[in-house]
Amino acid sequence: MEQSPELENCLKLLKGERDEQRLAGLLLVTKFCNKDDQASILKVYNAVGVRFLDRLLRTGMGKASVGGKGDDNRDAYLKLSVTVLAAFCRVPDIASSKDMVLKIPLFLEILSNKPDPSVIEECFEFVFLVSSASDDGVTTLYESGGLKVVASHISTFPDGSYLMEVSMRLMQLILTKLSPDNVNAQYPLETSMMVVSIARQFAVLHNALKFEALHLLSHILSAENTARLCDSLRLMSNDMWSTYTRVGVVAILQNRVAPAEKLHALIVSESMIGILGEGWLIGPMNLPGIKETVPADRCLLLVLESSRVEAAVLLNELAYLKYEASKSSSFSAEDICSKQRNLAIAFSLVEKIIKLISTIGEDKGSIASESTFTKLLTGLNETIGVVLEYLQDAKEHGQRKGDDLLASVRIIGSYLAEAPLACKEKVWELLEYMLLVEGEGEPRPFYSVCFLLPLMCQLTMNNDGCKVFVSSGGFNAVVACLMELIRSNDLKVGDSSCIFLACDTIMNVLLKRDQMWLPLDESNFVPLLRALACWTDGINDQSIIMMASSICSLVFDSTSEEALLRHPDFEDSTLNSLSRLIARSLATFGQDFPEPIKEEADLHQIIIAGYSCWADRFPHVKQAVEQ
């Protein structure tokens, strides 16, 4: 292909011996060379040479000289060198070269000195082109402090501008190469500054860049190692970024977009709640300068509806993959894992809304309207119904192990703790099965029982519920759970309230045992007593002492010291510990208790009433009490 006369003249100048000739050639290049004509750009690059380009750039930075000149025309040299280098890097082979990669720190230095705006744009373009052309480029960008430089500039760029777009793509390059966990841990302040600017783009733009902002927020905020980033975001003096994020989430969820985009919006919502709490779901929805009024609960309702739909679709797809597709066709195990991960996001949001509802229930007027409260309950009831159907399907297929099943039990437990009568018949029907559900890594059911403790504690407060509980194997399951909690002090599923919920549930049943003729498995009594002895040995917490003593007293009422000592697993040391426990609880009876301990008066009555019935059958306990 013939080259133009202008290009020929330019190349002759660029190959000249004197710097003045090369400078003249570069100036000609900037006037006539088409930036998309990569063939011509490559010829110019080869003609001028790397060494001259490097010297020209350093002259503009005040680090070298061209043509024997120092500070003269320094700004012009900087502008010219940045312009031609950015143009050269539109050719991928040039951009990925070692010479260009080594210039990234110099360009970052130029940007750090806040140069002329026209230079800023071309510096960013150079950095982006070189960083995206090779792994070495993005690594050099990060290790040279590129994130600090980008974060210091991004807030000054106009919404939706080319520079804003380039900044966001540089951030994406860094995250893809180095993982959000590392970036968040090393640069929490800079990352938080990026999040604030990206959140604004997420809210105000209505083009493809809006979705890039969504993906970036999802990628950054959902990383595992976000503790320092979250702290930095919470300390932001201007909290408009959280409003921008809420506005952006609503825009995605209320419009027709691909399901994958809605999932990203839910991921961002879950992350925002993790940073700012469930209250983030309700708040201002108006952007500055826009008069349109949007209800403050719009985000809450949309997140619930989207999570509910997502959960229903995923549960249906999981059931098909697990019970139908496996019979007739091959499928990837990753398909199931991916859907389970997405289900966990939808379930997590539903649980957080359940938690918010408990606050709404306490003070409806200050958080949401009555109509919103009704819509929330309707949506949650429908979701719980779908989850129960999924568990019913699993039960019928003989499946009781899986993290998706355990998550299903957990969300049911969370909701029924607030609405114990919801889906009553179905819950009672599936209680026995739910108590047997295990997570993938569990050797036996434990967490499922913990998740259902609030429900079972309320269930055992009335006679019908108590019968269902015992006939479903609930008593044995809760006793085993209590022993495990005491043994391992496992508080991963919550706080110490799990232990007290288990104790309350056991006590509810024991108190109704005689009047209802409940068929309890007494083989559990010995390990239960041993666990209580272990729990209270050396403990001075009055609430623990009274709770354990009450259960112990109710168990003693149905046996004797002689019978217990005949049991191969019941030792004298256990009897001694329980004797001290009963003695300590009775020693405080009748005293003037501080206000918090007066709540234990009903437990004192249970212990006193029990002791009067079985004291003669437990001489060691009686001796300890009378000493």
Side-chain angles (χ1 to χ4, degrees):
M1 179 181 294
E2 293 186 5
Q3 56 192 32
S4 66
E6 293 90 346
L7 180 57
E8 288 183 4
N9 292 333
C10 176
L11 293 176
K12 288 178 182 179
L13 288 170
L14 291 172
K15 293 176 181 178
E17 295 181 357
R18 292 179 294 116
D19 286 346
E20 288 79 359
Q21 291 174 303
R22 294 172 181 169
L23 285 171
L26 285 177
L27 287 171
L28 282 176
V29 169
T30 61
K31 294 181 182 300
F32 78 83
C33 196
N34 187 333
K35 66 179 182 180
D36 296 321
D37 185 356
Q38 295 194 5
S40 297
I41 291 175
L42 189 57
K43 288 179 181 179
V44 171
Y45 176 75
N46 290 330
V48 71
V50 173
R51 294 180 62 183
F52 180 76
L53 290 170
D54 185 66
R55 192 152 48 91
L56 180 63
L57 177 64
R58 291 179 180 276
T59 299
M61 297 177 68
K63 298 175 180 286
S65 65
V66 169
K69 299 178 180 179
D71 291 336
D72 296 344
N73 299 317
R74 179 175 149 188
D75 290 342
Y77 289 150
L78 180 64
K79 168 66 175 170
L80 177 60
S81 62
V82 167
T83 298
V84 296
L85 283 168
F88 287 147
C89 287
R90 294 191 183 99
V91 179
D93 287 344
I94 298 176
S96 61
S97 67
K98 184 177 180 180
D99 290 316
M100 295 300 110
V101 170
L102 290 175
K103 286 181 173 55
I104 287 178
L106 295 176
F107 274 76
L108 294 176
E109 183 180 339
I110 294 169
L111 288 169
S112 297
N113 293 329
K114 309 293 183 184
D116 182 86
S118 62
V119 174
I120 290 178
E121 182 166 332
E122 288 173 326
C123 280
F124 265 89
E125 183 170 8
F126 172 89
V127 171
F128 173 69
L129 290 171
V130 177
S131 299
S132 59
S134 68
D135 287 345
D136 288 343
V138 69
T139 301
T140 302
L141 169 68
Y142 185 75
E143 293 178 349
S144 302
L147 183 56
K148 287 186 176 182
V149 174
V150 176
S152 69
H153 279 276
I154 192 171
S155 63
T156 66
F157 298 150
D159 296 330
S161 65
Y162 173 73
L163 281 170
M164 180 63 72
E165 181 177 352
V166 170
S167 299
M168 288 168 55
R169 288 183 177 169
L170 282 170
M171 186 67 179
Q172 184 63 60
L173 280 173
I174 291 172
L175 294 175
T176 301
K177 174 68 177 177
L178 298 157
S179 90
D181 288 325
N182 293 333
V183 176
N184 290 345
Q186 192 167 359
Y187 293 107
L189 177 59
E190 290 76 13
T191 306
S192 66
M193 292 166 64
M194 294 295 294
V195 166
V196 169
S197 294
I198 294 167
R200 177 175 169 83
Q201 304 309 298
F202 182 39
V204 303
L205 298 182
H206 301 285
N207 54 24
L209 199 57
K210 184 185 195 74
F211 294 100
E212 291 192 31
L214 168 61
H215 298 162
L216 268 173
L217 290 174
S218 173
H219 204 180
I220 295 169
L221 298 177
S222 65
E224 293 183 6
N225 187 8
T226 59
R228 295 183 66 193
L229 170 63
C230 292
D231 289 341
S232 183
L233 286 169
R234 292 187 193 102
L235 293 174
M236 283 289 172
S237 57
N238 185 351
D239 64 355
M240 268 303 294
W241 72 275
S242 66
T243 298
Y244 285 138
T245 308
R246 184 165 50 247
V247 170
V249 164
V250 167
I252 296 295
L253 296 182
Q254 72 182 0
N255 286 294
R256 292 185 178 181
V257 299
E261 307 300 351
K262 291 199 173 187
L263 179 61
H264 278 296
L266 293 180
I267 292 172
V268 170
S269 299
E270 183 191 28
S271 301
M272 292 300 294
I273 294 171
I275 298 171
L276 301 174
E278 293 79 11
W280 173 82
L281 289 165
I282 301 178
M285 289 295 306
N286 298 322
L287 295 175
I290 297 179
K291 296 181 179 180
E292 179 186 3
T293 302
V294 181
D297 57 16
R298 176 71 59 81
C299 184
L300 170 62
L301 293 172
L302 281 170
V303 168
L304 175 59
E305 179 62 17
S306 299
S307 300
R308 188 180 70 79
V309 171
E310 184 76 10
V313 170
L314 287 168
L315 289 172
N316 184 59
E317 291 176 346
L318 278 170
Y320 174 76
L321 286 175
K322 292 169 71 173
Y323 310 130
E324 301 298 331
S326 58
K327 299 176 183 177
S328 57
S329 61
S330 60
F331 63 93
S332 170
E334 177 58 28
D335 289 340
I336 290 182
C337 291
S338 175
K339 292 184 187 302
Q340 287 177 334
R341 287 193 296 269
N342 295 342
L343 180 65
I345 295 164
F347 273 3
S348 174
L349 283 166
V350 172
E351 284 194 74
K352 287 174 170 62
I353 291 173
I354 290 170
K355 184 177 179 181
L356 181 62
I357 276 189
S358 65
T359 307
I360 294 175
E362 294 170 3
D363 191 3
K364 298 177 185 177
S366 66
I367 297 181
S369 65
E370 187 69 31
S371 63
T372 297
F373 189 68
T374 301
K375 290 176 184 177
L376 291 173
L377 290 179
T378 300
L380 289 171
N381 280 332
E382 291 177 3
T383 299
I384 295 304
V386 171
V387 176
L388 287 169
E389 289 177 9
Y390 183 70
L391 289 174
Q392 179 67 46
D393 202 12
K395 177 185 176 183
E396 292 172 358
H397 284 86
Q399 298 288 324
R400 62 183 183 88
K401 194 175 189 70
D403 290 341
D404 55 326
L405 299 178
L406 184 61
S408 298
V409 172
R410 172 171 173 157
I411 198 170
I412 288 171
S414 296
Y415 186 53
L416 296 181
E418 303 298 331
L421 298 180
C423 309
K424 176 180 172 182
E425 291 76 13
K426 193 64 179 177
V427 169
W428 286 16
E429 179 186 342
L430 281 173
L431 180 59
E432 181 176 6
Y433 168 77
M434 290 192 289
L435 291 170
L436 297 174
V437 167
E438 302 169 359
E440 289 293 347
E442 286 188 287
R444 57 188 175 277
F446 172 67
Y447 287 108
S448 58
V449 183
C450 291
F451 297 149
L452 293 171
L453 279 174
L455 165 67
M456 293 188 290
C457 187
Q458 295 186 62
L459 194 64
T460 53
M461 288 181 181
N462 63 72
N463 292 348
D464 290 341
C466 212
K467 290 177 181 177
V468 171
F469 171 76
V470 173
S471 64
S472 300
F475 184 79
N476 294 345
V478 172
V479 169
C481 177
L482 175 61
M483 292 189 294
E484 179 66 19
L485 285 167
I486 290 172
R487 184 189 66 80
S488 62
N489 194 30
D490 190 336
L491 303 181
K492 295 176 185 176
V493 294
D495 51 28
S496 58
S497 62
C498 278
I499 292 182
F500 285 97
L501 279 170
C503 287
D504 282 336
T505 304
I506 291 171
M507 194 154 54
N508 287 344
V509 175
L510 292 175
L511 286 169
K512 295 180 177 65
R513 182 188 183 191
D514 291 338
Q515 69 186 62
M516 296 180 61
W517 299 93
L518 294 172
L520 302 183
D521 184 357
E522 296 187 3
S523 64
N524 280 320
F525 286 172
V526 167
L528 173 60
L529 291 172
R530 292 177 61 191
L532 294 174
C534 177
W535 185 30
T536 56
D537 207 21
I539 288 290
N540 293 319
D541 188 315
Q542 189 69 14
S543 61
I544 293 177
I545 291 171
M546 298 309 301
M547 179 64 76
S549 297
S550 300
I551 295 175
C552 188
S553 179
L554 292 169
V555 172
F556 280 178
D557 197 37
S558 62
T559 185
S560 67
E561 182 178 304
E562 182 181 358
L564 289 174
L565 290 173
R566 284 200 302 267
H567 197 284
D569 294 329
F570 193 86
E571 302 172 350
D572 289 343
S573 59
T574 301
L575 179 61
N576 292 334
S577 294
L578 295 175
S579 298
R580 291 193 298 272
L581 172 64
I582 296 294
R584 291 169 69 191
S585 64
L586 289 175
T588 60
F589 183 72
Q591 298 180 8
D592 293 329
F593 305 121
E595 187 63 30
I597 300 181
K598 285 186 177 181
E599 298 175 1
E600 313 296 337
D602 55 340
L603 299 180
H604 276 95
Q605 294 300 324
I606 291 173
I607 300 167
I608 287 288
Y611 180 77
S612 64
C613 295
W614 51 255
D616 291 337
R617 286 181 274 128
F618 285 83
H620 277 85
V621 178
K622 187 175 183 180
Q623 182 180 1
V625 171
E626 293 177 350
Q627 282 181 347

